[in-house]
């Protein structure tokens, strides 16, 4: 018999190509199936978690609506409030049934949903009792029961069980994700095994294709390396063995190299300009940090929140600043200021005023004395010639509500109470700091009632404009009054957001807001020391981290 010799080159290459195609097909199928399965698992888990959270939150919304309407009816005895309570109570069983449907066969979640339902029914029972007393004319008895806190405690128990249910829903979601991750890893291992087999086939095939493909690619790689080192004058030598596509690519690379050489100088100049702008931005942002305190103080009987929003213009550091400190006698000293102009010079002057204010307040906190000292700091002929002036509103607030303030060319504070919202006009306003060598800043005395809020701000808030129409104090008061039941930090954020919307989502001037609230004491609430506060990028609230990233 004649011994069979090795196959032809065409047959060998054809066999290698076919084998490589088979391996690649298997790899593609495994990858596609794995991605589809994993994506479906992640999607189903996320949708189920969202549906469960939505159903749970619907219960909370019903209870919140019922609580608000119930309390309003007890206090005011209006039929609309009773209808709102009844509507919320009627929706509750349907929402509970929907929640149990989306929870599925999870015994843990079903038990937690049962606990939520039990606490909700306890609260509804108390609400029914309060309505009964009110209908019978026993309004005082109903109010007494509210003040005893039974309804509030039962509602808080419902909130606690609701939060526990949300945590358990999230735990189930995390467990589902872990299971999906395990299947994803198995898919990954299968893909890796197929990829290794493919790599073996590629190595075998590459040895056969090196002469027509590998050599020309090496020449092309050397040319790319020369370009990365800045050598744009050496073209890639021609290769007679290269396939047509690579020969065209090498020719195109040489053409591209010539065009890149012509554009190199322009690109380098643009890079230098960008580096200079980045350096200037970093420098000015460092100066800006001197305008904002790292944290706000805690004051017994008061809440404090602040927010700084810079103008939305590139490379223009503003001169708005604020600060607050607690005096040894328990009073709160707070101020906001606005340095005329923008840029590093204005920011540096503003930082100096802020540190000078802290020193003067520590020596003698009297507003007239402090503003006179700051004016002496600003009264420089050179600075006056450059137009460096500053406006400041400085205020002392006692925990009992007494306030004393003096403005230096600054807009008056806004006083928000349960009945109204209006500017708190000073007796007489003093001049800007730095305009005169000597001047007087009369002190105005007023009172902050329980539940009232004082809002100090810079003119960037009220001067936000759309054409000739400015945002103004009246619109600011409308937003504050509409949000009077919101948390202090949210009120501050939303009035700035309203001014930004008025100016087509682009503030042209910096805005600083500092708000001081005197909460109404709760008769059944235990006495507790004030929170320590929290720190966040130049804006800190007493009861929660403040919402004011200086670049947000």
């Amino acid at each position: 018999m004649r011994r069979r010799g090795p196959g032809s080159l065409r047959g060998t290459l054809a066999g290698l190509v076919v084998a490589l195609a088979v391996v690649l097909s298997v790899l593609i199928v495994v990858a596609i199936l794995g991605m589809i399965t994993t994506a479906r698992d992640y999607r189903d888990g996320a949708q189920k978690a969202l549906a469960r959270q939505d159903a749970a939150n619907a219960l909370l919304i019903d209870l919140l609506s019922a609580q608000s309407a119930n309390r309003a009816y007890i206090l005011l005895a209006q039929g609309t409030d009773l209808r709102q309570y009844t509507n919320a109570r009627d929706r509750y069983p349907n929402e509970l049934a929907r929640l149990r449907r989306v929870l599925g066969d999870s015994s843990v979640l079903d038990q937690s949903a049962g606990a939520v339902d039990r606490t909700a029914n306890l609260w509804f029972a108390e609400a029914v009792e309060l309505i009964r007393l009110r209908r019978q004319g026993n309004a005082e008895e109903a109010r007494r029961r509210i003040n005893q806190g039974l309804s509030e405690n039962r509602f808080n128990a419902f909130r606690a069980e609701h939060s526990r249910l949300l945590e358990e829903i999230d735990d189930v979601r995390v467990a589902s994700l872990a299971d999906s991750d395990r299947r994803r890893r198995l898919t990954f291992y299968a893909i890796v095994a197929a990829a290794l087999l493919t790599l073996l086939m590629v190595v075998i095939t590459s040895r056969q294709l090196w002469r027509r493909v590998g050599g020309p690619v090496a020449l092309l790689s050397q040319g790319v390396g020369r370009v990365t080192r800045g050598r744009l004058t050496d073209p890639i030598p021609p290769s007679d063995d290269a396939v047509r596509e690579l020969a065209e690519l090498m020719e195109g690379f040489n053409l591209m190299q010539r065009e890149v050489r012509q554009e190199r100088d322009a690109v380098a100049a643009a890079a230098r300009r960008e580096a200079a702008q980045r350096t200037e931005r970093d420098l000015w942002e460092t100066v800006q940090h001197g305008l904002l305190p790292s944290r706000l103080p805690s004051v017994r009987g008061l809440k404090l929140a602040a927010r700084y929003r810079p103008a939305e213009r590139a490379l223009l550091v503003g001169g708005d600043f604020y600060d607050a400190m607690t005096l040894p006698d328990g009073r709160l000293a707070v101020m906001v200021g606005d340095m005329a102009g923008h840029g590093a010079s204005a920011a540096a002057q503003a930082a100096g005023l802020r540190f000078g204010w802290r020193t003067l307040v520590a020596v003698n906190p009297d507003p007239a004395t402090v503003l006179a000292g700051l004016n002496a700091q600003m009264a420089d002929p050179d600075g006056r010639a450059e137009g460096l002036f500053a406006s400041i509103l400085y205020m002392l607030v006692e925990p009992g509500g007494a306030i004393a303030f003096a403005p230096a060319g600054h807009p008056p504070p806004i006083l928000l109470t349960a009945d109204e919202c209006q500017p708190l006009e000073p007796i007489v306003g003093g001049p800007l700091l730095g305009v005169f060598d000597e001047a007087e800043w009369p002190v105005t005395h007023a009172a902050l009632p329980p539940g009232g809020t004082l809002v100090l701000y810079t003119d960037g808030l009220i001067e936000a404009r759309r054409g000739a129409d400015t945002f103004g104090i009246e619109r600011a008061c409308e937003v504050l009054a509409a949000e009077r039941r919101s948390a202090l930090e949210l009120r501050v954020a939303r009035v700035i957001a309203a001014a930004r919307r008025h100016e087509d989502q682009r503030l042209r001037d910096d805005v600083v807001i500092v708000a001081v609230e005197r909460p109404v004491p709760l008769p059944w609430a235990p006495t507790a020391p004030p929170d320590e506060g929290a720190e966040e990028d130049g804006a800190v609230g007493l009861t929660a981290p403040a919402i004011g990233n200086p670049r947000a």
Side-chain angles (χ1 to χ4, degrees), residues 113-455:
V116 170
D117 183 44
R118 287 192 296 273
T119 55
N121 287 326
L122 288 175
W123 180 86
F124 276 121
E126 177 62 17
V128 169
E129 178 62 20
L130 292 174
I131 292 173
R132 184 188 66 79
L133 291 173
R134 191 67 172 92
R135 284 179 169 177
Q136 294 176 355
N138 296 330
E140 292 298 325
E141 176 64 16
R143 294 190 184 97
R144 186 185 64 78
R145 286 179 68 96
I146 290 177
N147 292 334
Q148 287 177 351
L150 178 60
S151 175
E152 187 70 20
N153 291 337
R154 290 183 176 181
F155 191 81
N156 289 338
F158 164 78
R159 292 292 297 270
E161 293 296 336
H162 181 269
S163 298
R164 189 174 297 110
L165 173 60
L166 291 179
E167 291 175 357
E168 291 174 355
I169 289 174
D170 190 67
D171 291 340
V172 172
R173 180 186 63 82
V174 171
S176 176
L177 288 177
D179 185 64
S180 298
D181 287 339
R182 181 183 60 81
R183 290 193 294 271
R184 179 177 56 83
R185 287 193 297 271
L186 293 177
T187 302
F188 173 76
Y189 296 149
I191 293 174
V192 169
L196 292 176
L197 182 58
T198 303
L199 179 62
L200 177 62
M201 298 301 299
V202 168
V203 170
I204 296 174
T205 304
S206 64
R207 291 175 59 87
Q208 304 296 325
L209 301 177
W210 174 257
R211 185 176 61 86
R212 298 292 303 273
V213 177
V217 168
L219 293 176
L220 185 60
S221 176
Q222 293 174 4
V224 172
R226 287 194 296 269
V227 170
T228 59
R229 292 190 296 270
R231 294 172 55 186
L232 301 176
T233 58
D234 299 330
I236 297 176
S239 175
D240 296 333
D241 294 330
V243 295
R244 182 180 67 255
E245 293 80 5
L246 279 178
E248 294 174 353
L249 179 61
M250 295 165 71
E251 182 180 355
F253 181 87
N254 289 332
L255 178 61
M256 178 196 69
Q257 185 174 252
R258 288 193 296 270
E259 294 176 352
V260 169
R261 186 169 60 247
Q262 296 171 358
E263 298 293 333
R264 179 177 55 184
D265 293 341
V267 172
R272 287 192 295 270
R273 288 194 300 271
E274 182 179 0
Q277 290 178 348
R278 187 182 303 112
T279 301
E280 187 174 4
R281 166 68 75 181
D282 294 342
L283 175 62
W284 283 354
E285 287 185 351
T286 301
V287 175
Q288 185 74 69
H289 286 307
L291 307 181
L292 309 175
S294 59
R295 60 187 298 131
L296 294 177
S298 298
V299 182
R300 185 181 296 275
L302 298 174
K303 289 184 179 180
L304 188 61
R307 188 177 181 93
Y308 167 72
R309 179 81 190 209
E312 299 175 47
R313 294 177 292 186
L315 298 176
L316 286 178
V317 176
D320 287 18
F321 56 97
Y322 69 90
D323 206 347
M325 59 188 295
T326 305
L327 303 182
D329 58 7
R331 289 182 294 173
L332 170 68
V334 60
M335 69 89 175
V336 296
D338 185 0
M339 177 66 64
H342 290 81
S345 177
Q349 288 285 345
L353 276 181
R354 175 181 162 240
F355 294 127
W357 176 83
R358 295 187 71 88
T359 302
L360 292 171
V361 171
V363 175
N364 182 358
D366 176 64
T369 303
V370 171
L371 291 182
L374 293 177
N375 185 68
Q377 179 180 334
M378 285 286 298
D380 177 28
D382 294 336
R384 193 174 300 162
E386 295 176 5
L388 290 178
F389 306 108
S391 70
I392 283 185
L393 176 61
Y394 168 37
M395 178 178 291
L396 291 173
V397 185
E398 297 183 7
I403 61 175
F405 69 95
H410 202 86
I414 295 176
L415 176 60
L416 172 67
T417 64
D419 301 322
E420 60 183 358
C421 177
Q422 62 183 6
L424 187 60
E425 297 290 348
I427 298 175
V428 178
L432 292 167
L433 299 182
V435 176
F436 304 106
D437 291 335
E438 295 183 3
E440 293 184 356
W441 290 268
V443 179
T444 300
H445 296 273
L448 177 62
T453 303
L454 282 167
V455 180

Side-chain angles (χ1 to χ4, degrees), residues 66-103:
Q67 184 199 36
S68 300
N70 178 265
R71 180 160 295 188
Y73 177 75
I74 299 305
L75 297 177
L76 304 177
Q78 293 184 0
T80 56
D81 296 325
L82 183 59
R83 286 194 297 273
Q84 291 179 2
Y85 165 81
T86 304
N87 292 337
R89 181 67 181 87
D90 293 340
R91 289 194 303 269
Y92 174 79
N94 295 331
E95 298 296 348
L96 179 63
R98 181 166 71 94
L99 174 62
R100 290 188 180 277
R101 285 197 303 271
V102 298
L103 292 182

Side-chain angles (χ1 to χ4, degrees), residues 516-535:
V516 181
E517 181 183 28
R518 183 186 175 195
V520 177
L522 300 176
W524 62 84
T527 302
D531 296 339
E532 291 298 329
E535 179 177 343

